[in-house]
Amino acid sequence: MKRKLLEAASLISVPVVLIVCVLFEIEHSALVTTIVVVIALVPFIIGLERDELKPKNIMPIVVLSALAVAGRILFAPFPNIKPVSAIVIVAGVIFGRRSGFITGMLAALVSNIFFGQGPWTLWQMYAWGLMGYGAGALASHDILKGRVSVMVYGALAPIGYGLILDSYYFIGFVGENNLAAAVLAYGIGLTASIPHALATVVFLALIYLPWAKKLARIKQKYGISDEARAES
């Protein structure tokens, strides 16, 4: 339970600090918020070293992360049309919130070896990780129970992903705390988020049922734990 509360607190701290930076016009917001993102990632990085994540539990995360990386590279010529989010969501639904977060985190980190590393990598790690975490958390409460609900989540989660990345850019670098600047910045970001959302829905429509069936069978056969449901 303590671990669960720590994870939730670390994830919530990021939007809270973003809001505080806006309200109080804090200088060096880019640095402050990035430090908070790093802190938010720490509990999940430490989790990779814990005994509870045995090799048989880590293997699906590694495989799905590798598939997400390969998919992002393969679809590189098509901006915002990638299977990464769909794979991260499937990981969260089948293997739990923590596995979903780590899959998204690793997918962003490794794929940016090819696409370019920078401070944005940390934000992508957080945003994709949060997408997987949310999928796992909702699935643990039987909210994501079937293909339709998963696809609805797949339509909404990329909008949240874009909102996080746009907030990092706007608050950290635009530096103009006014409505017109915000509308412009987030409006431009929405032009990328909408194709991202549509692509995620399409990829989920294609892969969710066959992948979920196979992954569930593997999970049962090898006794892979589902930490999210175990702690709920």
Side-chain angles (χ1 to χ4, degrees):
M1 180 59 70
K2 290 182 179 179
R3 176 88 183 276
K4 184 177 179 181
L5 291 175
L6 177 61
E7 290 173 354
S10 65
L11 294 176
I12 293 172
S13 68
V14 176
V16 169
V17 172
L18 285 168
I19 293 171
V20 169
C21 286
V22 172
L23 293 178
F24 295 94
E25 300 183 7
I26 295 176
E27 293 186 16
H28 309 298
S29 295
L31 177 61
V32 172
T33 53
T34 299
I35 290 173
V36 174
V37 165
V38 172
I39 295 172
L41 297 175
V42 168
F44 299 93
I45 295 173
I46 292 175
L48 288 171
E49 302 296 329
R50 292 175 64 92
D51 292 337
E52 64 190 69
L53 282 177
K54 299 175 182 179
K56 67 178 181 179
N57 296 331
I58 295 176
M59 187 55 64
I61 299 173
V62 173
V63 172
L64 289 171
S65 298
L67 289 172
V69 171
R72 191 179 181 199
I73 294 171
L74 182 64
F75 283 84
F78 309 101
N80 306 307
I81 300 176
K82 309 284 190 299
V84 181
S85 295
I87 294 172
V88 170
I89 290 169
V90 171
V93 170
I94 302 301
F95 295 108
R97 65 177 187 276
R98 200 171 300 142
S99 297
F101 189 97
I102 295 172
T103 300
M105 182 178 70
L106 292 178
L109 177 64
V110 177
S111 64
N112 275 5
I113 294 174
F114 302 92
F115 290 95
Q117 300 285 2
W120 56 84
T121 298
L122 295 168
W123 287 89
Q124 290 175 322
M125 290 169 67
Y126 170 80
W128 260 319
L130 185 62
M131 189 183 296
Y133 189 95
L138 292 174
S140 71
H141 291 90
D142 294 326
I143 296 175
L144 297 186
K145 297 177 63 175
R147 183 182 181 184
V148 174
S149 60
V150 170
M151 289 174 64
V152 170
Y153 181 80
L156 298 176
I159 303 299
Y161 172 95
L163 184 62
I164 291 169
L165 271 294
D166 294 340
S167 296
Y168 154 67
Y169 169 74
F170 177 73
I171 296 171
F173 298 100
V174 174
E176 294 184 23
N177 191 7
N178 64 73
L179 181 60
V183 169
L184 179 61
Y186 287 104
I188 293 173
L190 197 60
T191 63
S193 296
I194 290 176
H196 182 185
L198 293 174
T200 300
V201 170
V202 171
F203 281 116
L204 283 171
L206 294 173
I207 72 171
Y208 178 70
L209 288 180
W211 284 33
K213 185 176 181 180
K214 287 182 172 60
L215 292 172
R217 188 182 301 126
I218 291 171
K219 176 181 170 182
Q220 182 177 15
K221 179 178 180 181
Y222 295 101
I224 298 172
S225 67
D226 187 336
E227 23 53 49
R229 288 172 173 78
E231 294 181 10
S232 297

